[in-house]
DNA sequence: CATGAATGAGGGTTCATTCAT
DNA sequence: CATGAATGAACCCTCATTCAT
């Protein structure tokens, strides 16, 4: 009576337990320096158990990446509804993106890590899942743009603008890594928003 | 006499020999799948010799990264002189950047790899060398901007604009990885140039 | 009532179910590459259940070996009755033996595997069961010989001849493994029968 | 000054050291129960060193098998020269074969193990090396037969007879495993020689 | 300077077996 | 009876690095 449910719950707990430990280690030491044996030891589980829940090391980390991407997608979608005008909405998206990269810095790092690393290292299946999430994010931006730009822009144009918008912000956030050296003395948020202004000015017909 | 010079020449030849082999393997198999023993064997040298010329594996690959960055810097600097107007010069820079990411794809990958990965994985000394190169590139852009924008913009403003310019392009190139999936059907060069237009329109007072 | 019988029947069904799956996997992938977990999954049973029906992996495969030996014994016995003269009977036996090694190639392999491997690997109990079956086969041959050779041969002589007969055939079949290399271009059946002739000529007084 | 030679000698010593340890363990525990780590520990070497001398576990054991086969070949060849008549020569071969299977029992076991085991387990390259040795042995027998049988027998016939001769003896030796059970009370040497007689009587025209 | 044999901790992964439910 | 999650020792193998020559 409910014992099956309990079992199910326990199984999900274990999964979380593993992911939590893996995440912690990943954030502390990087992907290559985190071994399955370490994860097992830290999670107070046997190695075998890890392989009961994840096919291999790669899929364990892919699960972490997806966690991050899902979180990002959801946040962006939610934030976008809060703004009134298209410009406001885009600003919300931009800031949500930055906030994510700060609050969930390590998630952002790992996402970037997977996104940037040479394809040899990661299999196609992984890439495709990333793409899916990227698509979801682009869609949100496109929906906003549709209402903010001239009516004769076709879907193609809109997608392009969405890509320009997102990639610029992404590039900016990438450069944040340099704020203690190259960008010393700058307030990054200001910089980021001026970048946002710069793009929006060209993208939206205001 | 002259034997010291010969010795010196031979030493540099060895160094190149090692770097050439390492580069070839890196480009073919990725950073993790390239071992010191493999490099030694392919370079027809002993493992010990590798350690005579490079402190460890990491610094060997850092040397390759520097190669890439130097190449990038030089190309950008040279291209920038070819344009006549500031706009033209910036376009040259932008295209040089993209060309580099295509022609020296693997260099770009490895640069990005080092740039993006969590700082823990790589020692500060490495990051600082990257920063130095980024500064050199930004300087080039700043010099162009100085002549293209209103005289009352101060150094700070110029630097900010340079950062916005570069980071946007970089973000765009990052997204290139997605061209076979998310950006299917788009001509990437067009996309890239429209991104360029978008930024330049706001940055330069034309 | 009858429910006990049903239970019994179900138990035997389970056992067969397990053996069937194990046999299929064994024949497909070999003994080492077949794990208990795999058998369980393929049989749509839990691992635990496997251990309810077989003490361990080894005894599961020993059961398969016995299956094979039983099949071989029965076939030989049956065939031996079909011939009219002792010579004919022996030929039947010889051919049945070869046919078995072809049709039930994998059974033959596994029997041989157990027979040939150093004793340390397999416990005595297993060996003794094999011996029992070998005895049964020898008996069949002895019975035939008793009628084909001079009356003054005693049991000892008969057994010896039976052993010579069987072991020669067995050795021949062992060499069949080499037919694609060492014996290239030979028709194995011919070879086998010429070996049979050779022995029978000496064994029987015709 | 001879230092290179000494190095070479040391290398071969190491190789022997490894093979000796591996052989000892193999003979004691069987192939599957002998791990590379165990060999390393027993040989007082590091695991890495093992892999300096042998590509992998398999090739280490293949080397042992070849040792055995080479020994067998050489012994047979040498013995065959000692006999005067063809019959005598064949007897020498047969007895050498049996002696080998006794003295180098474990070698014989491992050879048989490789010969008999299902092909899945061992790669073709291994099998082919075994075949080569088998061929060498058959050649010796053929050369003897050529002088002992009627002149109009062609090469094909001779090879067949050689195969029958060898395989019968081999089968007999296989059955030796059963001497404590099935063949209880028999003197195996007698049995073996009666098998030899049986075959030779048919093969040679005396 | 150059060599390259040696190291050995550590990598990811498998698997027969147990036992609480 | 049946389950199947959990175990953890053991597997084979790699590799950056050292050091005696």
């Amino acid at each position: 009576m409910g014992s099956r449910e309990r079992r199910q719950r326990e199984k999900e707990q274990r999964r979380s337990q593993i992911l939590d430990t893996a995440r912690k280690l990943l954030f502390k030491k990087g992907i290559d320096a985190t071994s399955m044996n370490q994860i097992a030891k830290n999670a107070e589980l046997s190695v075998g158990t890890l392989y009961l829940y994840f096919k291999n090391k790669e899929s364990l980390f892919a699960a972490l990446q997806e966690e991050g991407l899902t979180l990002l997608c959801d946040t962006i979608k939610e934030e976008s509804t809060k703004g009134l005008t298209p410009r406001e909405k885009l600003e919300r998206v931009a800031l949500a993106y930055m906030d994510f990269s700060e609050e969930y810095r390590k998630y952002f790092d790992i996402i970037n890590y997977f996104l940037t690393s040479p394809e040899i290292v990661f299999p196609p299946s992984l890439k495709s899942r990333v793409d899916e999430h990227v698509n979801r994010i682009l869609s949100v931006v496109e929906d906003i743009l549709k209402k903010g730009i001239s009516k004769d822009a076709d879907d193609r144009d809109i997608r392009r603008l969405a890509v320009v918008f997102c990639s610029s912000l992404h590039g900016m956030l990438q450069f944040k890594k340099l704020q203690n050296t190259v960008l010393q003395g700058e307030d990054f948020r200001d910089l980021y928003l001026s970048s946002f202004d710069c793009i929006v000015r060209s993208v939206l017909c205001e």
Side-chain angles (χ1 to χ4, degrees), chain A:
Chain A
M1 42 170 89
S3 98
R4 186 155 63 203
E5 291 158 23
R6 189 172 46 83
R7 283 264 201 84
Q8 194 57 34
R9 222 171 38 239
E10 278 176 1
K11 269 184 78 169
E12 282 176 27
Q13 267 177 18
R14 276 257 188 287
R15 213 187 117 95
S16 298
Q17 192 181 350
I18 294 169
L19 282 176
D20 290 345
T21 311
R23 198 187 307 111
K24 208 169 60 194
L25 286 172
L26 167 72
F27 285 5
K28 190 159 62 183
K29 312 168 69 174
I31 203 166
D32 279 336
T34 303
S35 78
M36 293 300 265
N37 280 300
Q38 274 173 50
I39 297 171
K41 195 165 283 176
N42 277 276
E44 293 179 318
L45 288 167
S46 70
V47 225
T49 306
L50 258 56
Y51 284 86
L52 237 46
Y53 289 86
F54 297 93
K55 201 176 138 267
N56 50 28
K57 191 189 182 185
E58 188 176 71
S59 59
L60 202 169
F61 283 98
L64 284 181
Q65 191 199 15
E66 278 209 270
E67 265 188 20
L69 277 169
T70 306
L71 188 60
L72 175 59
C73 283
D74 292 349
T75 314
I76 281 181
K77 202 161 204 166
E78 206 192 312
E79 278 303 307
S80 73
T81 62
K82 293 184 183 162
L84 297 176
T85 63
R87 197 190 196 283
E88 259 178 49
K89 287 181 176 184
L90 288 178
E91 197 177 287
R92 293 273 189 177
V93 168
L95 288 171
Y97 200 27
M98 191 182 76
D99 287 348
F100 177 84
S101 82
E102 281 169 0
E103 275 179 66
Y104 304 98
R105 189 167 161 55
K106 295 295 183 171
Y107 269 137
F108 191 72
D109 278 348
I110 198 185
I111 291 170
N112 253 322
Y113 181 59
F114 279 65
L115 182 68
T116 317
S117 59
E119 45 283 78
I120 306 153
V121 182
F122 302 99
S125 71
L126 240 161
K127 287 251 167 215
S128 78
R129 278 222 290 283
V130 174
D131 293 339
E132 211 181 300
H133 283 280
V134 174
N135 266 326
R136 278 187 58 209
I137 294 172
L138 284 175
S139 296
V140 173
V141 175
E142 287 173 44
D143 288 345
I144 302 171
L145 289 176
K146 270 179 197 152
K147 283 157 198 160
I149 60 176
S150 64
K151 291 282 137 53
D152 49 315
D154 62 9
D155 284 0
R156 228 9 213 277
D157 293 331
I158 290 172
R159 161 136 289 220
R160 292 175 77 135
L161 290 175
V163 169
V164 168
F165 178 79
C166 287
S167 66
S168 295
L169 296 180
H170 190 81
M172 200 65 222
L173 290 173
Q174 203 90 301
F175 271 46
K176 200 184 171 191
K177 284 270 169 61
L178 307 171
Q179 69 180 324
N180 292 323
T181 50
V182 179
L183 307 182
Q184 222 157 14
E186 290 284 345
D187 179 71
F188 185 75
R189 194 188 155 95
D190 282 1
L191 207 57
Y192 184 71
L193 283 178
S194 69
S195 186
F196 170 78
D197 273 333
C198 182
I199 302 147
V200 163
R201 209 181 312 151
S202 305
V203 167
L204 291 184
C205 44
E206 289 174 312

